[in-house]
């Protein structure tokens, strides 16, 4: 049984062992082993030339990583908290995402940026935000966000081996919350593939990250009430697994999309639009979205943070309503 | 199961007419959500629900007038559970829902032409969830697609969704139930006995797009007729207007008289200040506030015109509330400027402007249309130069102001071009006679002629 955080550590460890071009860099990733201890032991194993502690300068971290990638290395850059990715946005969007396109395939950018995101960990606003939607708009980027340990490992392997930039969002609350058997043998989970987490034929719920687990709990509860739920884990937010989304939507005709990020222009909007465009005649109810509230960021007060976060109860209620429609 | 009663919508109001049901049987109703339009005094008031639940029965159909306190509908609370709710709804379907569906806009299922084929829910009334036109009339794309694919008449499918909505699963279950014992299929469509032509091909082309259109359109159009004419089912408010007009003409012996007034000075005055007024007040300065002012002053001199004949007695009203007739596209409403004698000309302009805007926007409240004591009718607004208005009963009189037209008139033995207007007065001859009417008109005419540069607007 491995925790999510261990699975990520293992993926880094194995890939660095397998391919010497792979190196990690970021604030405190070396001697300290990462603020969450994801990179514990890497510096001892691979040395400080492959596990690089950087200054507190995200644009530099990503900028250097892009340069290294262009020069034939395979960097895994860590943004300590996803909230602080913003200073590096220009590097990511203007350089990494466009390198292959602007060079007519002469250059590419095999870069992974790991960014712990999400709330529910009493981190306050600068340590709890969901940043994924911001990047899903950008062609040239892949956005991955695994929700289970097995996926975390397998998808990180895939991300590191991907020849183009991948933003790898890890929900902090999952780090030590979920455990599962992760096979010892190498298992690469391809990016761009969603996973059906539960089969059902009354309603379809599409989610990712931490909220996926709340959805699964809710589905379990509703099963006792006779409501059967199809649960789809998006896993990769760009590119979306359109076929899997449409299949899951068509299966029940009643779709709920759940994510922690706020609703407006969030990932749910894209998923919803896709379904509306391509599966209209299979829909049996208006597509619904349940997401974070329309406020600028996660509050620090525990009470308010709790109010901000989605809960199994709220998701259950929303699912029940959809089933009843 | 709570009953919803006809509310008392005003102090002296003892009855109300059901206008349009905003909710149909089977639809869920939130607390304070508008349930039904009730008409009194020519206005639509939306009555909110006091309870939360599902509208299970409509007791009083549209167009019927009942006393305050009468049960108009029943609402099943959520706790009553679905099975119980559905049987209630089924029962209700037989009478009220079917009746409402037949005449109302968003009837169930099919489009305008084959409406009868959709209506015979009475025959299917025993079926559990039938007769819920509101929810049943709206199908999801999946349901419509399946119905088309399998050639299903959706009016035959029991709905288990919210408010009796037919879900995709319901259609699939129906298809399965039909295909298994295949000879059962033709049995269902024989039900509708009403329209022989429409009944036979029930399994033909499904209602498809026309169904949601009918549901959403919400118009008043119950059209019928021949090639040469169209018969339109009047709206509830049109019916009310019709009834009131007949009553007034029938009860009050109308006498009619007319004078012409010279408003040259008024016209010059208005032309001189209207741009300035518009800039300062944000509204157009029409002739109407001047007319009302003149009428109010006339009524002060001759209070017998500010009266009504009720129970063989003359009730002279001490306060002056001027009703102004406002015509909208499909109705005539008569909102009231209360205590018009306390307002300046600018105040009257604002009051009239606001009421007209509310009337055209359908936002008039019951207070806005109650208590008028005398009606001013601005027929000149649509070019009329002569009219014979019907009294807004139980008021004693109504005065129409016609178009202001330039005409050659004789002034001091010379022919002059003057701006003239006709004032047409209808009076209830039970309490008013020609003499007092004439005196009143003379006073109004004199007041109109007095408006000019020295008139104070505020």
């Amino acid at each position: 049984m491995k925790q999510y955080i261990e699975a990520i550590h293992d993926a880094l460890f194995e890939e660095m062992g397998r391919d010497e071009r792979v190196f990690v860099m970021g604030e405190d990733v070396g001697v300290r082993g990462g603020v969450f201890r994801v990179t514990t032991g890497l510096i001892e194993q691979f040395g400080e030339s492959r596990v690089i502690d950087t200054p507190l300068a995200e644009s530099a971290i990503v900028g250097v990583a892009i340069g290294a990638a262009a020069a034939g290395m395979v960097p895994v850059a860590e943004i300590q908290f996803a909230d602080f990715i913003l200073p590096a946005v220009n590097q990511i969007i203007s350089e990494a995402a466009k390198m292959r396109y602007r060079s007519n395939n002469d250059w590419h950018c095999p870069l992974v940026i790991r960014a712990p995101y999400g709330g529910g960990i009493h981190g306050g606003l600068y340590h709890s935000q969901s940043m994924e939607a911001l990047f899903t708009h950008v062609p040239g980027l892949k956005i991955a966000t695994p929700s289970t340990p097995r996926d975390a490992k397998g998808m990180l392997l895939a991300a590191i081996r991907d020849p183009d930039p991948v933003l790898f969002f890890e929900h902090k609350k999952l780090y030590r919350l979920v455990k599962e058997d992760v096979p010892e043998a190498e298992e690469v989970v391809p990016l761009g593939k969603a996973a059906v987490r539960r089969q059902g034929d009354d309603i379809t719920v599409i989610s990712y990250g931490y909220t996926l687990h709340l959805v699964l709990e809710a589905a379990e509860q509703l099963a006792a009430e006779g409501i059967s739920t199809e649960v789809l884990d998006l896993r990769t937010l760009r590119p979306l697994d359109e076929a899997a989304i449409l299949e899951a939507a068509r299966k029940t005709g009643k779709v709920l999309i759940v994510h922690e990020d706020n609703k407006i222009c969030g990932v749910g909007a894209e998923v919803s639009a896709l379904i509306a465009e391509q599966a209209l005649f299979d829909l049996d109810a208006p597509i619904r979205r349940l997401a974070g509230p329309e406020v600028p960021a996660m509050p620090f007060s525990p009470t308010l943070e709790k109010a901000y976060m989605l809960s199994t109860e709220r998701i259950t209620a929303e699912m029940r309503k959809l089933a009843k429609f | 199961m709570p009953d919803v009663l006809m509310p008392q919508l005003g102090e002296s109001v003892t009855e109300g007419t059901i206008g349009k049901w905003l909710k149909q049987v089977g639809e869920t109703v939130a607390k304070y959500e508008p349930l039904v339009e009730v008409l009194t005094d020519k206005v639509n008031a939306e009555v909110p629900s006091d309870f939360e639940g599902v509208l299970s029965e409509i007791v009083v159909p549209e167009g019927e007038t009942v006393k305050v306190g009468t049960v108009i509908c029943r609402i099943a609370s959520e706790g009553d559970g679905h099975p119980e709710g559905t049987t209630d709804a089924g029962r209700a379907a037989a009478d009220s829902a079917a009746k409402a569906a037949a005449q109302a806009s968003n009837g169930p299922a099919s489009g305008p032409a084959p409406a009868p084929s959709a209506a015979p829910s009475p025959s299917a009334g025993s079926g559990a969830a039938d007769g819920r036109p509101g929810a049943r009339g709206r199908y999801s794309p999946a349901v419509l697609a399946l119905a088309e694919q399998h050639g299903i008449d959706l009016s035959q499918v029991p709905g288990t969704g919210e408010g009796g909505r037919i879900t995709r699963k319901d259609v699939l279950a129906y298809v399965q139930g039909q295909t298994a014992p295949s000879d059962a299929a033709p049995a269902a469509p024989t039900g509708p006995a009403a329209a022989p032509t429409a009944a036979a091909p029930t399994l033909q082309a499904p209602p498809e797009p026309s169904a949601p259109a009918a549901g959403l359109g919400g118009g008043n159009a119950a059209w019928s007729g021949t090639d040469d004419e169209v018969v339109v089912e009047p709206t509830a408010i049109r019916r009310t207007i019709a009834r009131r007009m007949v009553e007034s003409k029938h009860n009050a012996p109308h006498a009619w008289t007319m004078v012409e007034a010279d408003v040259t000075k008024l016209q010059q005055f208005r032309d001189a200040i209207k741009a300035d007024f518009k800039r300062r007040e944000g509204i157009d300065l029409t002739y109407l506030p001047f007319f009302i002012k003149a009428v109010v002053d006339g009524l002060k001199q001759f209070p017998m015109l500010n009266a009504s004949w009720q129970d063989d007695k003359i009730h002279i009203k001490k306060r002056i509330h001027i009703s102004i007739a406002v015509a909208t596209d499909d109705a005539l409403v008569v909102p009231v400027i209360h205590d018009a004698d306390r307002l300046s000309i600018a105040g009257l302009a604002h009051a009239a402007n606001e009421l007209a805007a509310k009337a055209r926007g359908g936002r008039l409240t019951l207070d806005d249309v109650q208590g008028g004591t005398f009606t001013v009718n601005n027929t000149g607004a649509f070019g009329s130069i002569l009219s014979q208005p019907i009294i807004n009963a139980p008021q004693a009189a109504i005065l129409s102001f016609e178009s202001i037209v330039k005409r050659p008139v004789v002034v001091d033995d010379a022919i002059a071009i003057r701006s003239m207007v006709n004032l047409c007065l209808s009076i209830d001859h039970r309490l008013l006679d020609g003499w007092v009417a004439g005196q009143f008109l003379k006073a109004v005419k004199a007041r109109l002629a007095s408006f000019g540069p020295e008139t104070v607007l505020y």
Side-chain angles (χ1 to χ4, degrees):
Chain A
M1 296 284 270
K2 296 251 175 179
Q3 290 179 327
Y4 187 97
I5 196 165
E6 291 173 311
I8 291 171
H9 170 271
D10 290 358
L12 291 173
F13 194 90
E14 286 174 23
E15 278 306 278
M16 289 177 80
R18 189 185 65 83
D19 182 349
E20 62 181 16
R21 296 175 305 154
V22 179
F23 71 100
V24 299
M25 61 187 297
E27 294 155 20
D28 290 328
V29 295
V31 180
R32 186 169 159 78
V35 70
F36 293 103
R37 300 285 185 266
V38 172
T39 49
T40 303
L42 293 184
I43 196 166
E44 287 80 1
Q45 180 68 24
F46 300 105
E48 58 188 18
S49 63
R50 292 183 66 197
V51 183
I52 302 167
D53 273 329
T54 67
L56 197 161
E58 284 77 11
S59 64
I61 296 172
V62 176
V64 167
I66 292 170
M73 301 293 285
V74 180
V76 180
E78 179 182 297
I79 301 293
Q80 202 167 69
F81 287 87
D83 315 62
F84 298 109
I85 204 168
L86 293 177
V89 162
N90 183 48
Q91 307 288 355
I92 297 170
I93 294 180
S94 303
E95 308 302 336
K98 294 178 174 54
M99 192 171 290
R100 187 182 281 281
Y101 185 79
R102 72 195 287 211
S103 69
N104 196 23
N105 273 331
D106 285 344
W107 296 76
H108 61 111
C109 189
L111 159 73
V112 177
I113 301 173
R114 290 181 41 245
Y117 77 106
I121 45 99
H122 308 301
L125 69 123
Y126 276 125
H127 301 86
S128 298
Q129 294 168 72
S130 298
M131 309 300 290
E132 64 272 21
L134 199 62
F135 297 99
T136 56
H137 185 63
V138 181
L141 297 180
K142 293 190 180 76
I143 317 294
T145 174
S147 55
T148 68
R150 199 167 163 177
D151 277 356
K153 184 174 176 191
M155 287 169 69
L156 187 50
L157 295 183
I160 293 171
R161 294 175 192 185
D162 196 286
D164 292 300
V166 177
L167 300 191
F168 200 80
F169 284 101
E170 302 157 11
H171 199 291
K172 296 186 286 287
K173 203 164 164 72
L174 294 177
Y175 274 158
R176 297 177 194 281
L177 187 76
V178 290
K179 277 186 180 182
E180 75 177 330
D181 280 328
V182 178
E184 285 300 320
E186 182 182 283
E187 184 186 56
V188 179
V189 176
L191 301 180
K193 292 281 173 209
V196 175
R197 297 291 182 198
R198 187 185 175 102
Q199 304 258 4
D201 60 5
D202 283 322
I203 55 171
T204 297
V205 184
I206 300 173
S207 188
Y208 61 88
Y210 172 59
T211 51
L212 176 86
H213 295 274
L214 304 181
V215 168
L216 288 169
E217 271 179 36
E220 190 65 37
Q221 279 184 31
L222 289 177
E225 298 174 20
I227 296 170
S228 110
T229 308
E230 176 95 359
V231 179
L232 187 74
D233 178 2
L234 289 176
R235 302 206 286 195
T236 304
L237 306 182
R238 187 175 184 123
L240 282 171
D241 187 348
E242 299 191 356
I245 292 169
L246 293 173
E247 191 187 333
R250 286 187 173 121
K251 188 162 174 194
T252 69
K254 293 179 169 185
V255 182
L256 170 68
I257 303 154
V258 181
H259 57 62
E260 180 180 315
D261 199 0
N262 51 317
K263 185 157 98 175
I264 295 185
C265 292
V267 172
E270 181 60 33
V271 173
S272 166
L274 171 74
I275 297 169
E277 278 179 349
Q278 305 210 20
L280 176 71
F281 296 109
D282 294 292
L283 287 181
D284 196 26
I287 303 169
R288 300 203 52 91
R289 288 176 288 160
L290 183 62
E294 184 68 357
V295 296
M298 186 77 63
F300 183 67
S301 144
T303 319
L304 292 176
E305 184 186 42
K306 197 172 168 214
Y308 183 106
M309 296 291 286
L310 294 179
S311 64
T312 312
E313 292 72 44
R314 285 178 57 194
I315 294 172
T316 311
E318 195 69 30
M319 285 164 66
R320 201 181 280 127
K321 213 157 99 186
L322 183 63
K324 202 177 154 194
F325 183 85
Chain B
M1 189 184 299
D3 293 338
V4 178
L5 309 179
M6 171 62 74
Q8 174 137 23
L9 287 169
E11 263 181 43
S12 59
V13 177
T14 58
E15 60 178 29
T17 303
I18 300 293
K20 183 175 168 58
W21 281 101
L22 304 172
K23 291 279 170 181
Q24 299 299 327
V25 172
E27 280 188 75
T28 49
V29 180
K31 197 170 181 187
Y32 306 128
E33 197 179 0
L35 199 55
V36 61
E37 281 177 0
V38 171
L39 314 180
T40 60
D41 270 0
K42 295 186 182 176
V43 75
N44 299 7
E46 287 184 356
V47 175
S49 172
D50 289 334
F51 315 101
E52 184 182 327
V54 175
L55 180 59
S56 63
E57 185 183 354
I58 289 175
V59 180
V60 181
E62 292 177 5
E64 203 159 287
T65 303
V66 291
K67 293 243 174 300
V68 168
T70 309
V71 177
I72 56 172
C73 72
R74 297 199 166 88
I75 290 181
S77 59
E78 295 284 3
D80 291 353
H82 250 35
E84 210 178 310
T86 48
T87 47
D88 275 327
R91 185 161 48 79
D95 44 2
S96 55
K99 195 165 169 189
Q103 64 174 205
S105 43
N106 45 0
S110 57
S117 78
S121 32
S123 66
S126 50
D130 265 17
R132 301 167 138 184
R136 287 183 60 93
R138 292 182 172 182
Y139 305 120
S140 69
V143 165
L144 287 174
L146 280 173
E148 186 175 10
Q149 188 185 336
H150 296 282
I152 289 172
D153 173 10
L154 285 170
S155 68
Q156 305 297 319
V157 180
T160 62
E162 198 166 34
R165 189 184 79 91
I166 296 171
T167 67
R168 196 171 82 166
K169 280 196 156 186
D170 294 333
V171 181
L172 290 171
Y174 183 78
V175 171
Q176 281 197 330
Q178 254 197 345
T179 48
S182 58
D183 53 336
T190 55
T197 47
T202 322
L203 279 175
Q204 77 184 44
E208 51 149 11
S210 62
L216 294 170
N220 310 302
W223 300 89
S224 61
T226 63
D227 286 348
D228 294 335
E229 67 174 22
V230 175
V231 180
V232 181
E233 192 68 31
T235 59
I237 196 156
R238 193 73 244 165
R239 277 184 214 279
T240 309
I241 293 168
R243 189 163 36 79
R244 293 281 170 83
M245 291 299 177
V246 171
E247 278 170 11
S248 180
K249 235 0 196 181
H250 180 76
N251 293 337
H254 283 55
W256 180 81
T257 182
M258 183 190 95
V259 298
E260 56 174 14
D262 182 343
V263 289
T264 311
K265 251 172 55 184
L266 169 59
Q267 184 172 40
Q268 287 162 349
F269 174 56
R270 173 182 168 265
D271 286 348
I273 61 166
K274 67 179 180 187
D276 191 45
F277 188 86
K278 169 94 178 177
R279 189 165 41 75
R280 268 203 288 182
E281 302 294 328
I283 59 170
D284 288 321
L285 180 63
T286 64
Y287 290 105
L288 186 62
F290 295 97
F291 294 161
I292 296 172
K293 191 75 188 165
V295 165
V296 164
D297 291 348
L299 290 174
K300 278 189 205 161
Q301 283 185 54
F302 302 96
M304 191 57 98
L305 281 105
N306 198 48
S308 72
W309 183 273
Q310 281 174 288
D311 305 327
D312 287 338
K313 294 212 167 33
I314 297 168
H315 297 242
I316 298 175
K317 313 286 182 183
K318 290 182 180 169
R319 292 167 72 178
I320 296 175
H321 304 313
I322 299 294
S323 303
I324 52 173
V326 178
T328 61
D329 285 347
D330 59 346
L332 170 70
V333 287
V334 194
V336 178
I337 300 175
H338 292 275
D339 293 313
D341 53 326
R342 299 179 195 169
L343 294 174
S344 64
I345 289 168
L348 289 167
H350 276 289
N353 185 64
E354 193 185 329
L355 287 173
K358 277 169 108 175
R360 298 204 171 93
R363 292 180 285 113
L364 286 173
T365 65
L366 204 63
D367 279 346
D368 288 333
V369 294
Q370 281 191 152
T373 57
F374 185 95
T375 299
V376 170
N377 196 13
N378 192 18
T379 43
F382 45 81
S384 159
I385 53 155
L386 201 62
S387 67
Q388 209 173 354
I390 297 178
I391 295 164
N392 184 8
Q395 295 171 10
I398 180 169
L399 181 59
S400 282
F401 285 87
E402 307 293 343
S403 290
I404 296 173
V405 286
K406 281 202 159 103
R407 282 201 285 121
V409 292
V410 176
V411 179
D412 296 336
D413 287 341
I415 295 171
I417 299 169
R418 308 296 289 176
S419 291
M420 303 299 291
V421 62
N422 293 333
L423 314 184
C424 302
L425 180 73
S426 293
I427 54 169
D428 182 344
H429 217 327
R430 288 175 299 182
L431 68 158
L432 294 172
D433 299 317
W435 190 82
V436 68
Q439 293 297 303
F440 168 75
L441 281 175
K442 200 172 147 192
V444 173
K445 174 180 166 168
R447 186 73 180 93
L448 280 181
S450 77
F451 290 123
E454 64 285 351
T455 300
V456 180
L457 288 182
Y458 297 93

